[in-house]
Every structure is written in C-alpha cells, then in structure tokens.
Amino acid sequence: MPGYEVIGNLEKKYLNEIFTKSGGVLFRHGFEKLRKNIFRVKKFEKGFGKHFNSKYSHSTTSGTAALRIALASLGIGKGDEVITQCFTFVATVEAIIESGATPVCTEIDKSLNMCPKDLIKKINSKTKAIIVVHMLGVAADLEKIKKICNKKNIFIIEDTAWGIGAKIRKNYLGTIGDVGTFSFDHAKTLTTGEGGMIVYKRKKMYNKGLAWHDHGHENNPKFPRYEDTRKSSGFNFRMSELQAAVGLAQLKKFNKIFQTHQKNKKKISNAIKKIDYLELREKPKNSTDASEALVIIFKNSKLAKFYSKKLKMNGINTKILPEALTWHFAKYWSHMRELKKRQKLTFNTSHNILKRCVSLPIMYKMEKQIPIKIYKILSSKMK
Ligand SMILES: *Cc1c(COP(=O)(O)O)cnc(C)c1O
C-alpha cells in the first residue's frame, strides 16, 4: 500500500532543503534569486514525465483536481455527457459534475473495470469523453475501449489513481488515452500527502490544462507574471514546493515499492489460489498490475461475507471491498442529483459481482507469515 509506508529521511532532507537552500520559497513560480533557481514542482513534473514516459505532464493539488483539469483541457462542459464506470471513487463522478457536464455510469464486468459492451449502449450524440478507471491497480480493457471511442470520436481520460507504474504492453497506464490522471493522496502508491499529476498525449491539451490550473496564466516568457497573457479563465489547482519535495523523494523509491508490491501480491495469490470456492481477479492479457490490492471473488456473497468477517477478526484488513463499497459504487450515490437525474442507480450486474468480492491491501512491509495466515483463514470451513 504505499508511499506512506516508506516516508523517511529522504523526504525530510528534501523538505529541509527548501529552507536551507532556497530561502523557504514554497511557490511554483518566480523568486529565482531567493530560491537559487531551484524549482521543485517543475523538477518533479519533469522527473515524473521521464519515469512514466510522458512528454507532457504537470502536477496539481489532488487526483480529483487532476480529473477536473483533464476535462477542462478537452473543452468539456455544459451540454456534454461524460461516461465513467459505476465502480470507482466518488471523485471521478464529482469531477464530471464540477465541469458542468452530465455524468453517466456503465456497469463493470468481471474485470471490475468498465464493461465495453455496456459502454457501447451508453454512448449517444452528447457523449464527448469517457473516464476509464484502472480500479485497484488492474488495467481496464483499453484496447477494446479505445476501438469503440476512436470510432465515435470520443476522448479517453484514464483515471490512473490506482494504476501508477502498471502497463499494457509497453505503455504505462495513463499514457494510452488522450489524458491520464494520477493521485498522490496518502493512501496511494506514491504520496505527497495531497497531490496529483496529469499526463497529456498532445501539446495543445497540455497547454490548455496547464493554463487552466493556474487561472489561465500562459506563463508567456515575454512578460512578467503580473502582465502574463491569457485566453481563458481557469482556477487555482497549483502544487506547492512542499508537496513536490516529498514527491521527488518518493519518485526515487518508486521502483522498489512497485517491485515489492508485485512480489508480495504473488506470495499471497500463490498461497490461496487453489481454494476451490474462490477465484482471483484476472487482469487483461499483456498487462501488468500495480499490485495495490488482491481481489478475491467468491462463489457467492454468503462466502464473501463470512470470510471477510473472519479476516478482520484475525487482524487482516480488507480494502474498499467490502467495507468501503458505499464510497466506491454508484448504486449508493443518490446524494448526487446530477447522476440520479440521468439514470437509475440500480447496476444489478455490477452489484452481483461486487457483493462476492473481498479485496486485500498489498503492503510494502509485509510480515513473512501473512500469506500462510491468510491461507489458513480462507481455507477453514465455513460455519
Ligand atoms: C484516490 C482516487 C481519486 C482522487 O484522488 P485524490 O488525490 O484523493 O483527490 C480519484 N479516483 C480514484 C479512482 C481514486 O482512487
């Protein structure tokens, strides 16, 4: 699970340097002399782009803001429809509502990600974009989804909050669609406390997103900031130097975190895969998995309920499934008027899958006996 498990001396060192080397400048722009020309936010963006193979990336204050900016960069707003999936975090739908567009949710399939068949059914002439979510670190079936969207001229935003570092073939998740968004909140693989990143395929959208996240500032080098040029209004979603300092440290640790997650997940799945009343969530062919969580799909919901309770009683936590489903499943979002207005919040197909699921968080610091302990709990007879 994550970045927060490895926060340590490097983060402290980089934070301190803001004060010892750069006069305490916390802003992404200006103060060149005082900061000795060290721009941490920009350095973090560059480092992130290099690591995850994106030519155009900029940071922001949260993963939710990243989604909102992504929609702005594509010119999406009132009168448009944006399709996402019913199993995601509320933030995905909130960003669509904030943009003025109407949110629409598809069912998920057994991959726990967007069901391509249902996507086709939900597309109409108002559909301008989709936000596909790589839920819990496993890639959505982007190859299929891309074909559908290309045919209809629909933009693809990848909500990569869980999928950082994972790939389909040789391409990092987030860089396959038109725009990809990342979250660095405290529960995510790479954390800056609060924060996010947006990666763009095209320069035009990058420029638009970058300006929009900074009140419309174009950062025109011909003018000082207070006389800067602008083409549209925007908002303030700028990352601070404090977040970027932590991000730079975390980025250095990322490969080790990612590899350790993969190893630890494999140890648990190997231990339990032969139990015959459960199966493990599959990932699309040719993809890697961020290994943030291991989702177990039981034969029926009774088994799922029994074993999730038993895991908890033995000190093994679950993650999102089942305990935080209400925050991650649109069936329960009757508080979102904009969503409710457009469609019935039933999602029976998805519910039938989700209520059979239990998800285990994969920890970086996993005690050695955990896989066998989980095996013992899950293979014990149901009473
Ligand atoms: C965490 C998360 C977000 C939001 O990120 P924040 O940085 O917390 O705003 C968006 N989408 C998904 C799927 C998430 O899990």
Side-chain angles (χ1 to χ4, degrees), residues 3 10 184 188 200 220:
L10 195 63
F184 306 139
K188 300 285 159 49
Y200 303 82
N220 191 328

Side-chain angles (χ1 to χ4, degrees), residues 147-359:
K147 268 190 204 143
I148 298 167
C149 291
N150 283 352
K151 231 192 253 168
K152 306 255 179 189
N153 249 333
I154 294 169
F155 291 121
I156 299 175
I157 298 170
E158 293 179 65
D159 182 339
T160 322
W162 291 111
I164 185 169
K167 291 177 183 175
I168 295 178
R169 298 182 199 275
K170 283 188 179 145
N171 303 306
Y172 280 108
L173 299 187
T175 65
I176 301 166
D178 297 282
V179 189
T181 65
F182 296 83
S183 161
F184 306 139
D185 81 25
H186 203 59
K188 300 285 159 49
T189 316
L190 188 159
T191 185
T192 59
E194 298 281 5
M197 191 74 74
I198 312 152
V199 302
Y200 303 82
K201 193 156 266 169
R202 290 186 279 284
K203 193 174 180 185
K204 194 177 122 194
M205 284 152 190
Y206 164 73
N207 283 337
K208 204 163 164 179
L210 185 65
W212 195 86
H213 107 295
D214 190 11
H215 304 293
H217 268 285
E218 293 187 311
N219 289 294
N220 191 328
K222 289 186 205 143
F223 301 96
R225 190 166 159 85
Y226 55 85
E227 285 175 14
D228 197 6
T229 52
R230 65 231 163 239
K231 287 196 190 75
S232 77
S233 69
F235 219 72
N236 175 5
F237 283 126
R238 289 185 305 257
M239 180 178 269
S240 93
E241 295 286 290
L242 290 165
Q243 291 160 296
V246 175
L248 281 163
Q250 290 261 309
L251 198 54
K252 283 214 163 139
K253 302 176 179 181
F254 183 80
N255 283 343
K256 179 123 188 270
I257 298 175
F258 189 84
Q259 285 154 11
T260 307
H261 278 171
Q262 303 237 308
K263 253 191 270 167
N264 289 350
K265 179 168 179 176
K266 199 155 213 172
K267 280 182 194 160
I268 300 177
S269 24
N270 281 342
I272 63 173
K273 68 182 176 198
K274 292 223 171 88
I275 303 174
D276 60 2
Y277 42 83
L278 59 82
E279 54 185 317
L280 303 177
R281 178 191 189 190
E282 281 177 15
K283 60 181 174 62
K285 261 184 262 152
N286 304 318
S287 74
T288 50
D289 163 8
S291 298
E292 269 289 291
L294 172 66
V295 179
I296 303 164
I297 307 175
F298 286 91
K299 283 231 160 89
N300 59 57
S301 59
K302 230 167 130 185
L303 286 163
K305 243 188 218 153
F306 175 80
Y307 286 106
S308 69
K309 218 162 141 193
K310 194 149 185 189
L311 284 163
K312 199 166 272 167
M313 269 164 28
N314 285 281
I316 306 280
N317 283 325
T318 54
K319 174 169 175 163
I320 296 181
L321 296 165
E323 90 286 2
L325 193 57
T326 52
W327 280 94
H328 293 86
F329 184 27
K331 183 182 172 70
Y332 301 109
W333 299 346
S334 56
H335 65 294
M336 294 190 182
R337 275 177 287 121
E338 297 84 349
L339 181 66
K340 209 169 55 178
K341 214 163 56 189
R342 170 67 172 73
Q343 68 186 137
K344 271 212 181 89
L345 307 183
T346 42
F347 306 111
N348 289 332
T349 311
S350 308
H351 196 208
N352 280 333
I353 302 165
L354 291 170
K355 67 187 180 193
R356 292 190 286 125
C357 291
V358 173
S359 150

Side-chain angles (χ1 to χ4, degrees), residues 127-143:
T127 312
K128 289 281 150 56
I130 67 161
I131 304 180
V132 55
V133 188
H134 305 293
M135 224 14 210
L136 290 163
V138 170
D141 193 348
L142 263 183
E143 296 190 340

